[in-house]
Amino acid sequence: MYDETYEDIVKEKNMNYLLILMGISLLIIGIRCILQFVNTKIVYELPYCDDEGIFTIYNRGKYGLWLSGTLFKKSPLGDFGIEIVNQKTGEYIPLKRNLIHTSINGFKTSRMLLYTFQAEEGTYIISFTSTENFRDKITVLIKNMVSKKSVDNYSFSIQIRTHPSIYILTICFLSIILGVKLITSAIFLWISS
């Protein structure tokens, strides 16, 4: 009888150690994946004060257009539209608007995802247009009611960055949640035994 109880205790402790190790592993994988999403590679950066720019895409895939600038300064969001044209074919690249603006803030700088697009290898022309999006026009109205300051055009730019799949990002968040759950479950089992 004593040996069975001792074996059960050892199995339970081993199970707790295993749950903690699995939880920590999933947590580390999820955090590393999120950091890769935040630190995506910049393909091209167009200062807002320039009208257009030319960039080259070397790998076919999905890319994001980000408005980047100084944190806590009035942004030019809603004051412009963007077009991307394949330089060789003259074909306009369709820009997909996200339902929610994803933003990433640092201590001094910030960036907000405006559009995503699919692109083949090649050279492209990006330019600002005067056709703003309706949702951005509403943002401008609210922004102008809050702050009467003018926009510092030299503080902002449009960045073209590689864009990871939203499915991979979802898996990263799920692995973080599962990792935390495994760790807390193991701790509660340890305390209760």
Side-chain angles (χ1 to χ4, degrees), residues 44 53-57 84-89 91 93 117-126 160:
Y44 180 73
I54 297 174
F55 65 96
T56 303
I57 290 181
I84 297 179
V85 179
N86 187 319
Q87 190 176 30
K88 186 176 180 180
T89 64
E91 177 185 344
I93 304 301
F117 65 95
Q118 286 287 135
E120 301 291 327
E121 295 177 6
T123 304
Y124 295 87
I125 300 170
I126 181 172
I160 299 173

Side-chain angles (χ1 to χ4, degrees), residues 94-114:
L95 301 176
K96 182 180 175 190
R97 185 166 252 326
N98 291 341
L99 185 61
I100 299 172
H101 286 301
T102 304
S103 62
I104 297 173
N105 297 332
F107 291 110
K108 292 184 179 181
T109 60
S110 174
R111 69 179 195 258
M112 180 186 328
L113 181 63
L114 302 176

Side-chain angles (χ1 to χ4, degrees), residues 62-183:
K62 192 171 187 176
Y63 294 87
L65 283 172
W66 295 78
L67 175 63
S68 177
T70 307
L71 196 60
F72 304 122
K73 282 201 174 189
K74 187 174 179 181
S75 75
L77 181 66
D79 295 338
F80 62 90
I82 297 176
E83 288 181 345
I84 297 179
V85 179
N86 187 319
Q87 190 176 30
K88 186 176 180 180
T89 64
E91 177 185 344
Y92 286 90
I93 304 301
L95 301 176
K96 182 180 175 190
R97 185 166 252 326
N98 291 341
L99 185 61
I100 299 172
H101 286 301
T102 304
S103 62
I104 297 173
N105 297 332
F107 291 110
K108 292 184 179 181
T109 60
S110 174
R111 69 179 195 258
M112 180 186 328
L113 181 63
L114 302 176
Y115 302 100
T116 57
F117 65 95
Q118 286 287 135
E120 301 291 327
E121 295 177 6
T123 304
Y124 295 87
I125 300 170
I126 181 172
S127 59
F128 292 110
T129 65
S130 59
T131 56
E132 311 94 18
N133 184 291
F134 178 73
R135 185 172 82 178
D136 290 342
K137 286 182 183 181
I138 293 171
T139 304
V140 168
L141 290 173
I142 295 169
K143 179 176 66 172
N144 288 335
M145 284 190 285
V146 172
S147 174
K148 299 293 183 190
K149 292 181 181 178
S150 62
V151 175
D152 180 11
N153 293 340
Y154 295 98
S155 296
F156 293 93
S157 65
I158 296 294
Q159 294 177 345
I160 299 173
R161 293 176 169 262
T162 55
H163 188 73
S165 171
I166 194 71
Y167 302 116
I168 293 173
L169 189 61
T170 304
I171 291 171
C172 293
F173 279 121
L174 290 175
S175 72
I176 289 173
I177 291 168
L178 184 60
V180 169
K181 281 224 175 256
L182 286 174
I183 293 169

